[in-house]
Amino acid sequence: GEKIAACYSDAKTFNLTFINESYTQSFPYSCQDMAFLLGDAYILLADGTVIDLETKEISATLAFTSPYPVLPNISTAADNTLLIVGNQVYDLATFDLLVQLDTGSEIQGASLSADGLTLTVLTDLGLETWQVLD
């Protein structure tokens, strides 16, 4: 992407460097594992906090079943409409928890069918197909 996030252990802030524009902004959130979401528009912190990078405000707090010291695998499906964190599936428009899949292994990737009725996930155990309910 065009941004790099960096922090130092136990810091109360993290820095975001905008590569193309050659400047750095400080964010007043604790240093922890993090991942960019939606084309680098948001950052997801390991405690479930979703930060809007434009406003620096908290957009949502994901309802993780347990706090993650290190984020598990994160993937998106259906043209960035679904976010999969560990085995939990969230709606990226609202950040609502849709379902926790009982896969027996952490989800490595996911794909939603064109009609939106079938979610196929890849785990350490192989491919699994899940029916999407209306």
Side-chain angles (χ1 to χ4, degrees):
E2 299 173 358
K3 301 174 182 82
I4 297 174
C7 60
Y8 299 98
S9 181
D10 298 328
K12 300 295 184 209
T13 63
F14 69 86
N15 292 326
L16 187 66
T17 300
F18 296 79
I19 298 169
N20 292 344
E21 297 153 18
S22 300
Y23 73 95
T24 299
Q25 281 187 330
S26 181
F27 286 75
Y29 302 98
S30 65
C31 181
Q32 56 190 289
D33 200 20
M34 59 185 75
F36 288 104
L37 299 176
L38 293 171
D40 297 350
Y42 298 89
I43 281 188
L44 169 62
L45 302 178
D47 66 4
T49 304
V50 178
I51 301 167
D52 182 315
L53 295 180
E54 185 175 324
T55 66
K56 292 188 174 183
E57 299 293 322
I58 295 174
S59 292
T61 302
L62 301 186
F64 290 158
T65 53
S66 62
Y68 294 107
V70 175
L71 279 170
N73 286 326
I74 296 174
S75 58
T76 58
D79 297 327
N80 284 329
T81 59
L82 299 177
L83 170 69
I84 296 98
V85 180
N87 290 354
Q88 296 172 297
V89 180
Y90 295 88
D91 180 327
L92 267 173
T94 63
F95 295 109
D96 289 336
L97 176 63
L98 300 176
V99 67
Q100 179 161 336
L101 301 177
D102 183 18
T103 60
S105 178
E106 191 173 279
I107 296 170
Q108 307 295 318
S111 175
L112 189 67
S113 64
D115 62 9
L117 298 177
T118 306
L119 180 67
T120 302
V121 297
L122 174 64
T123 72
D124 292 337
L125 305 173
L127 290 174
E128 295 185 21
T129 302
W130 293 79
Q131 178 81 29
V132 176
L133 302 176
D134 293 325

